[in-house]
Amino acid sequence: MRVCLAVARHSFRRYSTYRVATAAGAFTNTVFGFIRAFVLIALWQARPRIGGYDVTDAVTFCFLSQALIAPVAVFGPALELAERIRTGDVAVDLFRPVDLQAWWLAADLGRAAFHLLARGVPPFLAGALAFHLRSPGSPAGWLAVLPSLVLALLVSFALRYLMALSAFWLLDDRGVNLVSFTCASFFAGLLVPLVLFPGWLGPLARALPWAAILQVPADVWLGQYRGAGLAGALAGQAAWAVGLLGLGRLVTRAARRRVVVQGG
């Protein structure tokens, strides 16, 4: 545990050194937040209530999603593990007296923590200064936001960890990541809230793991879930996190055997 905490701290400090890139990212997220907000305002003015959202919910969702883009890595980055697999440096990782998955999870959580503070807070604060944004309306709502966010980060990592492990077989994970990030931008609710998806597409999108990284935590913030609904939403996120992390462990074991078969 102490090693993992040290890895997370190191990752946080590492990303904090890229100050200009971080400022540029926060500015870009803010600008696109305003562009998306005005588009959604126009849509909700034509139809004042869609899928349980009013215009305040829609604008709040817009800036919440912009705030979470970097922490949950909707557009990446892919884990550097894939590059280490291509170069063979993963052999060093496998010999460390630390679980491979736990090491990279700690590093990713350190990255996510920095991006949440440096690239997540500024866009949301800018949106709050310009628009009326909704906040959790009760202590229970505030208490539910943190576990939902943590579970979103775990699901995001688990997906990208599986994509990185694919390099053991494909040697290049860029195609797999392109498909995954495209699915994430669509099914996470980044392009438009999933409440706008028509017919059967809405329930299907909510049942996929990408919804757990953005749409669900945003809905928890907005108070869209009550009582058993909130428990069910968190349970759904937890199920995806546990299932994908467990699958990652199985694939890691298979990958270890593959390294030996290749003569590592």
Side-chain angles (χ1 to χ4, degrees):
M1 180 60 71
R2 284 183 296 178
V3 172
C4 290
L5 289 175
V7 170
R9 287 195 298 268
H10 173 76
S11 180
F12 186 98
R13 290 196 300 269
R14 175 191 172 192
Y15 280 91
S16 68
T17 60
Y18 302 109
R19 296 182 178 87
V20 175
T22 299
F27 176 77
T28 302
N29 288 349
T30 302
V31 170
F32 276 95
F34 278 92
I35 294 173
R36 292 178 60 213
F38 285 119
V39 171
L40 292 178
I41 288 172
L43 175 60
W44 257 263
Q45 284 178 341
R47 295 187 60 185
R49 194 160 188 88
I50 307 174
Y53 276 28
D54 58 21
V55 66
T56 301
D57 292 327
V59 174
T60 304
F61 176 89
C62 171
F63 283 99
L64 282 173
S65 60
Q66 290 299 124
L68 291 177
I69 285 177
V72 301
V74 176
F75 297 132
L79 295 181
E80 295 175 11
L81 173 60
E83 178 62 25
R84 294 181 67 81
I85 293 171
R86 282 194 293 271
T87 61
D89 291 339
V90 70
V92 177
D93 299 337
L94 293 173
F95 273 108
R96 287 193 182 108
V98 181
D99 181 78
L100 182 71
Q101 188 182 50
W103 175 284
W104 286 99
L105 173 58
D108 196 59
L109 290 177
R111 174 205 62 79
F114 172 75
H115 280 157
L116 183 64
L117 294 174
R119 290 188 58 177
V121 172
F124 191 81
L125 288 180
L129 291 174
F131 302 99
H132 171 63
L133 301 186
R134 200 176 304 283
S135 62
S138 66
W142 282 104
L143 289 175
V145 169
L146 180 58
S148 182
L149 177 58
V150 171
L151 289 169
L153 296 176
L154 291 177
V155 173
S156 170
F157 165 78
L159 286 167
R160 288 178 292 118
Y161 182 74
L162 287 170
M163 299 306 105
L165 291 180
S166 70
F168 275 109
W169 288 268
L170 302 177
L171 301 183
D172 191 336
D173 69 324
R174 284 177 294 184
V176 175
N177 280 323
L178 178 61
V179 173
S180 179
F181 293 146
T182 301
C183 290
S185 63
F186 187 73
F187 290 116
L190 179 62
L191 298 180
V192 293
L194 298 187
V195 297
L196 294 178
F197 282 24
W200 57 268
L201 187 57
L204 173 63
R206 287 182 175 274
L208 296 174
W210 294 286
I213 70 175
L214 202 155
Q215 181 72 51
V216 174
D219 280 344
V220 170
W221 176 282
L222 292 170
Q224 293 293 309
Y225 301 109
R226 294 284 191 276
L230 176 59
L234 295 177
Q237 284 185 289
W240 276 118
V242 172
L244 291 171
L245 289 172
L247 180 59
R249 299 196 71 82
L250 293 176
V251 177
T252 301
R253 292 179 186 175
R256 284 178 179 271
R257 290 195 294 270
R258 183 168 180 81
V259 170
V260 173
V261 169
Q262 288 178 336

